[in-house]
Amino acid sequence: MKHLLLLKYGEISLKGKNRAYFENRLVQNIQERLKDFSYILHRRQGRLYVECDDLRVISILQETFGLVEICPATKTSPDIDLIKQVALEEMRRYLGDRPSTFKVDTRRVNKQYPLDSMQISRMVGGYILRNMPNLRVDVHTPQTRLEIEVRDEVFMYLERYRAVGGMPYATSSGTVLLLSGGIDSPVAAYQMARRGVIIHPLHFHASPYTSEESFEKVRELTRRIARFTGPLRLNSINLAEAQKVIRKETDERYFTILQRRLMTRLANRLARKLKAQSISTGENLAQVASQTMEGIRCTHAVSELPVFRPLISFDKEDIVIKAKKMGTYDVSILPYDDCCTIFLPKTVITKPRLEDVEQEESRLNMEEILEMTWKTWKREYV
Ligand code: ATP
Ligand code: MG
């Protein structure tokens, strides 16, 4: 095969005894993501290499959680004269006649090798310098950096493609991720998945008051998140009947917060069912009723499981940038009807007090509402 890619991972290498667990999962995820390409994946001495013909593999690997860098590399045998020669060829191919400062960095993984890393760097650097008069050595801030890894074979590389980092998907337990049709929650899903957390998306709709199109939009968002995670199953619950009851029985100013408490209870129920260990949302602190500190406190109070809000401190602008980058933004901004806005009253309390909320909620038969709503739970492949 034409190309050899060296895959670098960051934090996994710090995991000590658990390293194999993280590595195994990373390998499985890579295999899953590259299944439409022909490639060979090697795993040797704590390193992963991919041989492939198609360079589109690079962009897929760049989006694989757990990898920090992809380096197209050249392989040669560990003979020092050969190393010098191949290094020179590589530098010429990469730079042409361009002037540049450069540095050679060597890692000697094979401790039996007769030269140490400093000696190798110096010998190779000197040879390049003698043959490429346009170059100058700069060991502190070189414009061009040739890295050499001496193992049973020798690898060298000049180019590096940054990858997304994080931890391999599915190395942590699950979270029930509250997925609306908006901009924020898909980004929240990405942030959690990037730490290895398994995502169980849950969408609340209010069919027939919300349209089939708005549901389809959430399916499409789920598919786009799945680009990073592998196939996802979308959970959905119909809130319409519960919303009607809440609207009828309680002070309308508490509608939003009571609805969110109901969502949180249902998310906990689903989490127990799926053995997920947490709930995650796209909430971030802003002046809407449910996302003030007081609002969040009142919602949080009914959650047995921890609720993660990975976007809590983000500016909207930063969330938009992330949404565009992960490819969900253009779907999120499609016009749609949201279950949260269908029954929305004219006035809301932005700083609810927990005692007042509980008082208001006590007008409802919560057990009955939960049972009735839970019955509408569906789970589908998207
Ligand atoms: P988003 O852009 O994610 O919709 P938002 O800024 O519009 O967020 P809200 O509508 O108040 O904020 O929702 C806050 C969070 O609550 C969402 O990020 C999502 O996690 C959850 N949520 C809201 N509506 C729904 C829904 N219909 N189904 C599932 N989760 C929801
Ligand atoms: Mg929303």
Side-chain angles (χ1 to χ4, degrees), residues 3-279:
H3 305 288
L4 173 67
L5 308 173
L6 210 145
L7 315 189
K8 291 194 172 176
Y9 31 89
E11 280 171 62
I12 302 176
S13 46
L14 306 174
K15 294 290 172 205
K17 285 208 191 87
N18 286 332
R19 179 174 169 147
Y21 168 73
F22 287 93
E23 261 179 15
N24 289 344
R25 176 55 73 176
L26 179 61
V27 166
Q28 280 173 33
N29 294 353
I30 291 171
Q31 286 167 340
E32 163 73 25
R33 296 171 65 98
L34 294 184
K35 62 179 186 296
D36 296 334
F37 293 88
S38 67
Y39 69 94
I40 307 169
L41 181 65
H42 304 276
R43 187 176 175 179
R44 245 178 276 152
Q45 295 178 297
R47 256 270 189 272
L48 295 175
Y49 315 90
V50 168
E51 283 184 88
C52 61
D53 287 322
D54 190 335
L55 283 178
R56 279 178 303 173
V57 164
I58 294 181
S59 54
I60 293 175
L61 293 171
Q62 279 182 287
E63 290 187 337
T64 302
F65 296 133
L67 294 176
V68 293
E69 212 164 53
I70 320 298
C71 310
T74 306
K75 194 167 67 170
T76 178
S77 27
D79 171 82
I80 188 66
D81 288 327
L82 203 58
I83 297 175
K84 287 200 291 200
Q85 204 180 325
V86 174
L88 179 62
E89 278 164 24
E90 283 301 296
M91 287 291 281
R92 280 194 171 134
R93 185 186 55 78
Y94 183 64
L95 283 172
D97 293 331
R98 274 186 292 143
S100 175
T101 58
F102 85 108
K103 177 190 185 188
V104 178
D105 271 326
T106 306
R107 267 187 72 204
R108 194 181 60 145
V109 182
N110 173 7
K111 299 295 178 204
Q112 259 73 62
Y113 198 73
L115 300 165
D116 72 22
S117 47
M118 282 301 272
Q119 289 171 316
I120 301 170
S121 293
R122 223 176 293 129
M123 288 169 82
V124 174
Y127 186 72
I128 292 172
L129 210 51
R130 283 196 292 283
N131 287 281
M132 293 179 77
N134 273 346
L135 300 191
R136 204 159 42 77
V137 173
D138 178 348
V139 291
H140 300 295
T141 50
Q143 291 160 327
T144 306
R145 199 154 61 90
L146 176 70
E147 282 182 77
I148 303 179
E149 288 192 9
V150 181
R151 298 166 179 270
D152 300 338
E153 294 160 305
V154 174
F155 297 87
M156 45 182 110
Y157 52 96
L158 286 154
E159 286 169 282
R160 297 155 191 90
Y161 293 85
R162 268 205 84 73
V164 283
M167 299 302 289
Y169 183 68
T171 47
S172 174
S173 297
T175 196
V176 168
L177 187 291
L178 300 197
L179 186 64
S180 67
I183 296 168
D184 303 339
S185 40
V187 177
Y190 179 93
Q191 294 296 120
M192 295 305 289
R194 188 174 175 279
R195 293 312 299 171
V197 177
I198 294 171
I199 304 294
H200 301 290
L202 168 59
H203 176 63
F204 295 104
H205 60 96
S207 178
Y209 304 98
T210 50
S211 63
E212 182 53 30
E213 286 91 320
S214 73
F215 202 131
E216 191 45 43
K217 178 182 164 179
V218 175
R219 286 193 189 100
E220 181 56 26
L221 285 173
T222 307
R223 284 180 211 117
R224 298 207 179 185
I225 298 166
R227 251 183 57 203
F228 300 92
T229 59
L232 292 174
R233 292 173 76 177
L234 176 61
N235 298 277
S236 62
I237 291 178
N238 190 342
L239 277 190
E241 292 311 310
Q243 287 177 314
K244 283 191 205 163
V245 176
I246 298 174
R247 266 315 240 124
K248 186 154 150 265
E249 305 291 336
T250 64
D251 181 337
E252 65 168 23
R253 294 172 304 155
Y254 288 90
F255 176 75
T256 302
I257 201 76
L258 293 180
Q259 167 175 284
R260 296 202 64 87
R261 280 161 66 93
L262 175 61
M263 285 182 176
T264 305
R265 289 187 174 98
L266 290 162
N268 271 270
R269 191 144 179 180
L270 179 62
R272 273 199 302 277
K273 181 100 189 156
L274 301 177
K275 300 195 165 51
Q277 304 293 315
S278 67
I279 315 291

Side-chain angles (χ1 to χ4, degrees), residues 219-371:
R219 286 193 189 100
E220 181 56 26
L221 285 173
T222 307
R223 284 180 211 117
R224 298 207 179 185
I225 298 166
R227 251 183 57 203
F228 300 92
T229 59
L232 292 174
R233 292 173 76 177
L234 176 61
N235 298 277
S236 62
I237 291 178
N238 190 342
L239 277 190
E241 292 311 310
Q243 287 177 314
K244 283 191 205 163
V245 176
I246 298 174
R247 266 315 240 124
K248 186 154 150 265
E249 305 291 336
T250 64
D251 181 337
E252 65 168 23
R253 294 172 304 155
Y254 288 90
F255 176 75
T256 302
I257 201 76
L258 293 180
Q259 167 175 284
R260 296 202 64 87
R261 280 161 66 93
L262 175 61
M263 285 182 176
T264 305
R265 289 187 174 98
L266 290 162
N268 271 270
R269 191 144 179 180
L270 179 62
R272 273 199 302 277
K273 181 100 189 156
L274 301 177
K275 300 195 165 51
Q277 304 293 315
S278 67
I279 315 291
S280 300
T281 80
E283 287 166 305
N284 93 321
L285 271 180
Q287 292 309 314
V288 288
S290 63
Q291 297 189 36
T292 58
M293 196 69 91
E294 289 78 2
I296 288 174
R297 186 230 191 286
C298 292
T299 313
H300 201 107
V302 295
S303 192
E304 180 206 327
L305 295 172
V307 181
F308 296 123
R309 300 174 175 87
L311 309 186
I312 195 73
S313 68
F314 286 28
D315 288 344
K316 192 74 185 185
E317 225 176 282
D318 298 331
I319 300 174
V320 166
I321 290 170
K322 282 185 184 293
K324 285 182 178 163
K325 209 163 160 195
M326 69 176 287
T328 49
Y329 182 76
D330 58 324
V331 180
S332 291
I333 58 171
L334 295 172
Y336 75 113
D337 36 17
D338 176 22
C339 80
C340 292
T341 50
I342 292 287
F343 297 92
L344 205 64
K346 284 184 285 300
T347 51
V348 292
I349 291 178
T350 52
K351 293 190 172 180
R353 292 184 347 149
L354 185 57
E355 307 85 84
D356 300 340
V357 171
E358 285 171 346
Q359 175 70 38
E360 202 55 38
E361 198 177 69
S362 67
R363 297 166 187 272
L364 301 167
N365 184 339
M366 190 46 77
E367 273 315 301
E368 206 176 281
I369 293 177
L370 273 172
E371 283 317 310

